[in-house]
Amino acid sequence: MSKPAVAAETISKEDIISFEKEIADIFATGAIRAPVHLRAGREDQLIRIFRENEIGPDDYVFGYWDSHELALLKGVPREVLKQAIVEGKSISLCFPEHKVLCSGIVGSLMGVGVGTAWALKNQHKKGKAYVFCGDMSAETGIFHEAVKYAVNFDLPVIFIVCDNGVSVMTNTREVWGCQEPWFKNTKYARKIIYFTYQNSYPHSGLGKLIKF
Ligand SMILES: Cc1ncc(C[n+]2csc(CCOP(=O)(O)OP(=O)(O)O)c2C)c(N)n1
């Protein structure tokens, strides 16, 4: 049987950059009456992760407030995604038919990802759960608990920590008290993919007040 299609094979770095730029331009007009969190600078890493792990229709992708790129790479059609963002759903994008589920609440999906992985394993279903989060989210208690549980029960879940060095405007390393994430060189690292990047957009919005 052939493997299910991996949408990320057909999506380029330029596609992602131009999508975020299009949303930035729409946001600047005041037409989106809700927050948006734009991201740039991690396209290569995200494309590589989706392609190398062959993240496809059997897999679940969980993300937070900054998930435009994840939805595109999972196969949500560009216009469908754009419509949802224009309707104000950018920070909690949910496309169950594509197994893309996001939330604007820090930490909220760690347990959901682990629970999904538990169900996949115990129901002998194909697929994995992929939980994408930021560097400060990886410091939360719920992240620790979720990763420990996933490792101890060897669940089909991978956490992807995208480290942009800040939590909104707080320097992550000042909070961590060290340069490296807590899981580096521990047994928990086997369930975690980690990379650093610099976001060329502000944490949220465009860095200026938008009237609408
Ligand atoms: C429970 C909760 N507390 C606070 C916030 C506000 N908030 C949104 S994003 C964020 C920073 C998270 O930092 P990080 O995980 O590093 O994410 P990134 O910088 O990649 O966006 C905070 C504190 C929130 N969304 N939910």
Side-chain angles (χ1 to χ4, degrees), residues 73-111:
L73 287 166
K74 187 65 169 49
V76 178
R78 189 177 171 119
E79 289 306 313
V80 172
L81 178 58
K82 182 171 135 187
Q83 183 61 29
I85 295 168
V86 169
E87 286 170 8
K89 298 176 184 154
S90 170
I91 60 170
S92 54
L93 292 167
C94 283
F95 303 97
E97 64 279 27
H98 293 281
K99 300 192 175 88
V100 172
L101 300 158
C102 307
S103 156
I105 310 297
V106 172
S108 56
L109 296 173
M110 308 304 177

Side-chain angles (χ1 to χ4, degrees), residues 39 65-66 104-106 134-137 164 166-168 197 203:
R39 295 290 179 264
W65 42 88
D66 56 336
I105 310 297
V106 172
D135 39 293
M136 197 65 91
S137 296
N164 60 9
V166 284
S167 165
V168 187
Y197 76 104
H203 169 75

Side-chain angles (χ1 to χ4, degrees), residues 45-62:
Q45 291 98 320
L46 291 179
I47 289 171
R48 181 176 50 76
I49 290 164
F50 271 76
R51 289 184 184 170
E52 282 183 5
N53 291 277
E54 300 185 345
I55 300 177
D58 291 328
D59 301 308
Y60 287 79
V61 164
F62 296 98

Side-chain angles (χ1 to χ4, degrees), residues 24 27-28 49 54 76 80 84 111 120 122 154 178 193 196:
F27 186 74
I49 290 164
E54 300 185 345
V76 178
V80 172
L120 288 169
N122 284 285
D154 192 24
C178 58
I193 297 173
T196 59

Side-chain angles (χ1 to χ4, degrees), residues 30-203:
I32 303 175
R33 301 168 69 108
V36 296
H37 295 66
L38 301 160
R39 295 290 179 264
R42 59 179 179 177
E43 301 83 10
D44 287 330
Q45 291 98 320
L46 291 179
I47 289 171
R48 181 176 50 76
I49 290 164
F50 271 76
R51 289 184 184 170
E52 282 183 5
N53 291 277
E54 300 185 345
I55 300 177
D58 291 328
D59 301 308
Y60 287 79
V61 164
F62 296 98
Y64 287 93
W65 42 88
D66 56 336
S67 293
H68 300 172
E69 307 129 290
L70 309 181
L72 281 178
L73 287 166
K74 187 65 169 49
V76 178
R78 189 177 171 119
E79 289 306 313
V80 172
L81 178 58
K82 182 171 135 187
Q83 183 61 29
I85 295 168
V86 169
E87 286 170 8
K89 298 176 184 154
S90 170
I91 60 170
S92 54
L93 292 167
C94 283
F95 303 97
E97 64 279 27
H98 293 281
K99 300 192 175 88
V100 172
L101 300 158
C102 307
S103 156
I105 310 297
V106 172
S108 56
L109 296 173
M110 308 304 177
V112 180
V114 167
T116 301
W118 175 267
L120 288 169
K121 182 169 180 173
N122 284 285
Q123 294 172 10
H124 307 289
K125 288 189 173 159
K126 290 186 203 159
K128 274 189 184 176
Y130 292 88
V131 184
F132 291 78
C133 72
D135 39 293
M136 197 65 91
S137 296
E139 187 69 4
T140 58
I142 188 65
F143 182 85
H144 285 69
E145 290 177 36
V147 172
K148 281 190 172 181
Y149 198 85
V151 169
N152 291 345
F153 290 91
D154 192 24
L155 299 181
V157 56
I158 300 289
F159 298 85
I160 299 97
V161 178
C162 314
D163 180 357
N164 60 9
V166 284
S167 165
V168 187
M169 294 166 78
T170 299
N171 183 314
T172 307
R173 276 152 184 83
E174 281 178 20
V175 178
W176 284 355
C178 58
Q179 293 300 310
E180 303 290 356
W182 67 267
F183 46 80
K184 191 174 175 188
N185 297 329
T186 70
K187 68 174 181 176
Y188 303 107
R190 82 173 82 120
K191 292 286 184 197
I192 300 172
I193 297 173
Y194 169 81
F195 68 85
T196 59
Y197 76 104
Q198 205 167 2
N199 182 21
S200 39
Y201 287 107
H203 169 75

